[in-house]
Amino acid sequence: MNAATTASAFKAAMRHYPSGVTVVTSVRDGEPRGITLTAFASVSADPPMVLVCVNRDARSYLYIASSRVFCVNLLSARQQELAERFSGKIREHQFDDIAYETDATGAPVLPGTIAHFDCEVVEEHHAGTHSIFIGRVVSCEAREGTPLGYFNGGFHDFGMRVE
Ligand SMILES: Cc1cc2nc3c(=O)[nH]c(=O)nc-3n(C[C@H](O)[C@H](O)[C@H](O)COP(=O)(O)O)c2cc1C
């Protein structure tokens, strides 16, 4: 496989990996920013740590890298509109009609989500086009609801249990 084939084969294979959908928010000089992101994982429970992978070309990258805070908002199956909004559909005034709250770090906590993890960045690793931010969870909360999922290029309701 040459490099181009490898990239397209990689993307085709990754499309088959299902994931939850998050909006990762941050705040810099009082200005909030958010990015739709599926590259989120649990790292450690004690101490609680998570990771997110952010493209360094994304505007959100500068917000997280400079403020050193982010909040992972786990979207519910009813929040596809938010996933689309924060994946580039609205580039300015992203939060204009969203009544968000804040937790420990000041990064936006979106309403109607099924959980959030409010984090302080403890490590950043460059890997290809992306940066892996490892966040120490300073506050988190779980709420009712079923998750929005992403698989094979489309959004799904991941609330169905296999018996
Ligand atoms: C379902 C979905 C998942 C995405 N996952 C990621 C991701 O894990 N990391 C990332 O950097 N971008 C991801 N993106 C792309 C960003 O949401 C998109 O590039 C965004 O417009 C960047 O916005 P910004 O430049 O305003 O920060 C994803 C997009 C979608 C629709």
Side-chain angles (χ1 to χ4, degrees), residues 8-91:
S8 64
F10 174 78
K11 286 180 186 170
M14 282 304 295
R15 282 169 69 89
H16 287 189
Y17 181 66
S19 57
V21 184
T22 76
V23 172
V24 173
T25 58
S26 191
V27 62
R28 186 178 66 163
D29 300 330
E31 191 192 343
R33 188 84 209 166
I35 179 172
T36 298
L37 181 145
T38 50
F40 160 69
S42 166
V43 173
S44 155
D46 187 14
M49 296 165 108
V50 298
L51 68 79
V52 293
C53 302
V54 181
N55 192 318
R56 285 194 302 283
D57 283 338
R59 284 187 238 193
S60 277
Y61 170 74
L62 294 174
Y63 285 69
I64 300 170
S66 61
S67 69
R68 313 283 293 171
V69 298
F70 63 88
C71 181
V72 181
N73 296 269
L74 291 195
L75 298 188
S76 89
R78 298 176 174 191
Q79 294 182 306
Q80 179 176 343
E81 185 272 334
L82 284 183
E84 288 165 350
R85 169 192 291 237
F86 286 99
S87 62
K89 214 170 180 179
I90 297 180
R91 303 204 74 84

Side-chain angles (χ1 to χ4, degrees), residues 12 30 41 52 66 100 103 105 108 129 152:
V52 293
S66 61
Y100 68 83
D103 194 346
T105 69
T129 52
N152 215 5

